[in-house]
Amino acid sequence: MRIIYLILMYLLLFFSCEQRATLPEIDISTSSDGIVELPDNVPAVFKKYFVKYTKVNAPNGKPIHILAQDGWTNNQIKHGRNVLEHILKDFPSSIYGNDKSHIANSMSNKKATMVFFNTEPDLEKAFSEGLGEATDLNMQDLRSNECPAVGSDDYINHITRDASYEEIWHLVHDYGIKPMLPTMIKNMRIANDDATKNGWRAWPEDEPNEHPNEYIGVLIDNYYDLWKIMPTLYEGVPIIDRMQQNKNSYKDKSHFGRYFANSREKMTYLDTLGYNIITEFFHPYLTFNAELPKYYSGIFSLRYDKDKVYTHKSQHLVNVTALGNNDVTLIGNEYDNHLTGNKGHNRFIGNGGNDTLNGSLGTDEAVFRGLASDYLIEKNGNAVIVKDKKQNRDGTDFLIDIEKGVFYTEIILF
């Protein structure tokens, strides 16, 4: 009888799993930005809630899915995908992130999926109607009103709290880190418990097993200085309204006063165990190429500037591409930047590092901080190499489709 019972249970499980909807292979190569409309062969349960699709392919060739509702712009979707790719990018010589292929493979095998809802009510409606039970995907949500795209007005004015790093981390944690890196999980718990003694107030209060997961999400935000200056809105609601009883308690803190170090700098001495965990898995800079929206014009700086509120975030970028036709000035930082212009007349200020500056179309110029005689300038095919003879200033820059160099006292046509 027991054997028959087990066979029946197996068959029940098998057929119940077979009845759950899954996503077919979806080709995104037909789209210039890798984002497509959900095709007709997708089961109706997905088309009921989502309209757009993109993915990140794991090394095993299987996809990590991203589904988005109609309130998401393509720029926002790209930002979410960029964050996922960044978290999964190998970090050579690091303890936990040297080779992340097994993490990404685990996620794809478990059909890990980011679901981009418009708002929290849209999320609650979908799951109350049975979205979770109707599919075989393992899902993590993110809402459009908590994901400002790089270069958007929201980003430039630092209005909305960017939750993309934290929420996408949860997907990576649940279906990649947790099954594949038990030592990291153990050390996350140790660091979380130590931070609790120093004032970290974890959530959900009734789910202590989730505290290290939430804790690392908080650390990521502060490692990339997303709370160095407190955002204004959280999912469309003024953050200060969420802190009515703690209006004086959020100074130098993040996440509504729950965490005691609101910047990378403060983490280094206020939470050394947490800082060590982060630096053993995450790159010190953002590895993705950020694309500025087509409507963007004026200056975009990757160098910290106290007069530009967004630069406490953008200082961690390395690669930026301007889209559209407007004239844009791109200012680099001390990393080896890759800065790419658009169809307008672009101006590039590489600053430190060995930069690659690509003007694309238009009449473009590169600006250097010294006299022309301070540099070695040579042609290399269609490119120009400008090498600063002074140490620790402009480095060696590789210029493509840039028509002139602007030096301290003169302009040189290339």
Side-chain angles (χ1 to χ4, degrees):
M1 289 295 292
R2 178 171 175 78
I3 293 175
I4 295 175
Y5 172 77
L6 291 174
I7 292 174
L8 289 173
M9 290 301 293
Y10 172 79
L11 291 173
L12 179 64
L13 178 62
F14 176 80
F15 285 113
S16 65
C17 289
E18 285 291 301
Q19 292 172 356
R20 299 178 75 189
T22 193
L23 283 170
E25 180 67 27
I26 298 176
D27 181 15
I28 63 172
S29 65
T30 57
S31 170
S32 61
D33 61 8
I35 300 168
V36 297
E37 300 291 323
L38 275 181
D40 293 336
N41 65 332
V42 168
V45 66
F46 297 110
K47 295 183 77 72
K48 179 179 180 180
Y49 300 106
F50 305 104
V51 298
K52 295 179 181 179
Y53 176 85
T54 188
K55 62 184 173 181
V56 171
N57 282 325
N60 61 11
K62 297 178 182 180
I64 301 169
H65 304 292
I66 299 175
L67 290 160
Q69 292 195 314
D70 58 2
W72 282 73
T73 67
N74 281 22
N75 288 329
Q76 287 179 295
I77 296 171
K78 283 191 291 185
H79 178 56
R81 186 180 63 201
N82 283 341
V83 170
L84 175 58
E85 290 179 332
H86 167 68
I87 295 175
L88 292 176
K89 188 173 182 62
D90 292 344
F91 183 12
S93 301
S94 65
I95 293 176
Y96 302 121
N98 182 62
D99 179 3
K100 300 180 182 178
S101 60
H102 58 308
I103 298 170
N105 288 342
S106 173
M107 293 174 67
S108 65
N109 287 333
K110 296 177 183 297
K111 298 188 178 182
T113 304
M114 286 302 304
V115 281
F116 290 173
F117 288 98
N118 294 342
T119 63
E120 188 169 0
D122 292 310
L123 159 72
E124 292 173 348
K125 179 178 185 294
F127 281 96
S128 69
E129 292 175 350
L131 174 64
E133 293 78 14
T135 79
D136 66 351
L137 307 181
N138 286 306
M139 293 179 275
Q140 168 65 44
D141 67 281
L142 178 68
R143 275 85 77 187
S144 65
N145 55 10
E146 56 179 4
C147 184
V150 175
S152 65
D153 292 341
D154 194 332
Y155 178 93
I156 294 298
N157 294 298
H158 191 52
I159 297 171
T160 296
R161 179 261 168 132
D162 187 348
S164 60
Y165 294 85
E166 178 183 347
E167 301 300 347
I168 293 170
W169 154 257
H170 292 324
L171 185 80
V172 177
H173 168 272
D174 290 351
Y175 307 110
I177 302 289
K178 197 171 181 180
M180 303 306 298
L181 288 178
T183 302
M184 182 176 176
I185 293 292
K186 176 183 176 182
N187 289 330
M188 284 165 50
R189 168 65 66 182
I190 293 171
N192 171 85
D193 293 350
D194 184 71
T196 300
K197 296 175 185 176
N198 295 322
W200 153 239
R201 294 188 291 117
W203 73 87
E205 284 83 356
D206 59 345
E207 296 182 38
N209 287 338
E210 284 298 310
H211 290 179
N213 180 12
E214 297 291 346
Y215 168 65
I216 295 298
V218 167
L219 295 188
I220 299 167
D221 281 5
N222 290 297
Y223 188 59
Y224 295 123
D225 287 312
L226 300 182
W227 285 79
K228 188 172 183 178
I229 297 175
M230 192 174 70
T232 304
L233 298 180
Y234 171 81
E235 295 190 43
V237 178
I239 287 179
I240 196 67
D241 289 352
R242 292 176 54 89
M243 306 168 64
Q244 291 179 359
Q245 298 177 354
N246 298 292
K247 288 185 178 180
N248 297 320
S249 69
Y250 63 80
K251 180 176 172 54
D252 296 328
K253 296 182 180 180
S254 73
H255 295 78
F256 320 107
R258 286 181 170 272
Y259 183 65
F260 49 80
N262 68 333
S263 68
R264 179 182 297 190
E265 179 187 7
K266 289 187 176 69
M267 286 172 62
T268 60
Y269 60 88
L270 292 177
D271 191 2
T272 55
L273 290 182
Y275 180 79
N276 289 340
I277 290 283
I278 290 295
T279 56
E280 289 164 356
F281 186 84
F282 290 91
H283 290 262
Y285 51 84
L286 297 169
T287 56
F288 56 80
N289 178 49
E291 293 183 337
L292 301 181
K294 291 181 179 180
Y295 58 78
Y296 194 90
S297 65
I299 297 171
F300 187 84
S301 178
L302 282 67
R303 190 172 191 176
Y304 177 72
D305 182 340
K306 63 180 179 59
D307 295 323
K308 294 181 174 62
V309 67
Y310 68 89
T311 59
H312 64 276
K313 302 176 292 188
S314 67
Q315 67 176 323
H316 300 300
L317 291 169
V318 175
N319 308 315
V320 171
T321 295
L323 302 178
N325 303 313
N326 295 325
D327 298 346
V328 175
T329 295
L330 297 177
I331 302 176
N333 51 29
E334 300 310 305
Y335 292 117
D336 296 339
N337 301 125
H338 282 68
L339 307 178
T340 303
N342 56 19
K343 296 178 182 178
H345 303 310
N346 304 133
R347 183 178 176 89
F348 298 89
I349 305 173
N351 288 315
N354 301 320
D355 306 314
T356 299
L357 310 176
N358 188 336
S360 297
L361 301 177
T363 302
D364 309 300
E365 62 184 33
V367 179
F368 301 91
R369 290 177 283 185
L371 299 169
S373 58
D374 292 340
Y375 299 81
L376 295 174
I377 302 173
E378 62 181 52
K379 289 272 189 142
N380 183 0
N382 294 326
V384 176
I385 299 173
V386 181
K387 183 177 182 180
D388 194 346
K389 291 183 282 188
K390 184 176 179 179
Q391 294 292 317
N392 302 317
R393 188 170 56 181
D394 287 332
T396 299
D397 291 349
F398 191 76
L399 278 53
I400 304 169
D401 290 329
I402 291 179
E403 287 69 34
K404 61 182 177 180
V406 178
F407 297 88
Y408 188 66
T409 58
E410 59 187 306
I411 295 175
I412 295 179
L413 299 179
F414 296 135

